[in-house]
Amino acid sequence: MKKYCILLILFLLIVSAVLVYFFTPLSAGKVFPETKNIERIYIDGLRGDNGEFYSFENIPIEDSDKLTRFSNILNGVEYSRISKSVDILNPYQFIGVTVFYRTHSEEIGHFKIQVNENGLLIVYNLEKTKYKIINSQGKEVFNQIKQFVQDSGINVQEPEVDRK
């Protein structure tokens, strides 16, 4: 009987740890390396509602007002972890953004994010980590980022045509 009690307690501790890990709200500071000292942003690409992928010209966004706006979008919500096995890019609309920031030691660092229309995102820093925007704000944040991309004035690249 004592053995079963110990196994039950151990099981409950493991389940509790998993629940805390996946359901504890995280601030943007815990998800992204740095969102307060953003130096420039590059829009990597966007899959629209028609399923077509659009890549953008390799032009940085460096205007401080735009960088503050982007930072406020990321910092305005909380996140939670999701399983690494969740595929957040197919078949959803998504936006990819590379962010360059200045560290406390004055070095330049970067991370990449891809966020889909449901508020699920991948953060590429030293490793690939997946998160979810909580409190049903995912679609709103996606639309804000999509509007940010449209307001950025960065043109869509023309597809390269193979001329032989």
Side-chain angles (χ1 to χ4, degrees):
M1 184 68 174
K2 188 175 185 180
K3 183 178 178 181
Y4 292 115
C5 287
I6 292 173
L7 287 175
L8 179 63
I9 290 171
L10 184 61
F11 175 76
L12 290 175
L13 285 173
I14 292 171
V15 168
S16 298
V18 168
L19 290 174
V20 167
Y21 181 79
F22 283 108
F23 293 105
T24 299
L26 303 168
S27 67
K30 297 204 186 242
V31 173
F32 307 106
E34 184 64 58
T35 56
K36 295 190 185 336
N37 297 321
I38 296 176
E39 295 258 324
R40 65 187 174 278
I41 298 171
Y42 290 91
I43 309 299
D44 296 333
L46 175 141
R47 181 184 300 139
D49 48 0
N50 60 359
E52 193 75 23
F53 183 78
Y54 303 96
S55 54
F56 290 82
E57 292 179 356
N58 195 21
I59 299 172
I61 299 170
E62 298 177 311
D63 178 77
S64 64
D65 291 337
K66 289 181 180 179
L67 296 176
T68 301
R69 177 179 167 200
F70 185 76
S71 177
N72 289 340
I73 292 170
L74 296 180
N75 289 323
V77 293
E78 290 183 316
Y79 305 85
S80 65
R81 295 176 183 94
I82 60 173
S83 170
K84 291 185 180 198
S85 65
V86 175
D87 183 9
I88 73 163
L89 300 181
N90 293 316
Y92 305 107
Q93 294 182 59
F94 70 88
I95 299 170
V97 179
T98 301
V99 178
F100 287 84
Y101 62 93
R102 187 156 306 273
T103 66
H104 297 295
S105 60
E106 296 300 315
E107 297 173 352
I108 297 291
H110 75 283
F111 61 92
K112 181 176 180 173
I113 53 175
Q114 293 175 318
V115 60
N116 78 9
E117 62 188 310
N118 295 328
L120 302 175
L121 61 141
I122 301 173
V123 178
Y124 299 91
N125 190 15
L126 298 175
E127 61 184 41
K128 176 178 160 180
T129 313
K130 295 182 180 182
Y131 299 95
K132 176 177 101 170
I133 298 169
I134 60 174
N135 298 329
S136 303
Q137 295 176 310
K139 288 186 186 291
E140 177 185 336
V141 170
F142 176 80
N143 290 332
Q144 288 175 353
I145 294 173
K146 191 173 181 179
Q147 187 63 49
F148 174 82
V149 169
Q150 291 170 349
D151 294 346
S152 71
I154 307 292
N155 295 323
V156 173
Q157 284 183 339
E158 294 294 324
E160 292 181 21
V161 178
D162 191 18
R163 297 181 185 167
K164 290 187 178 182

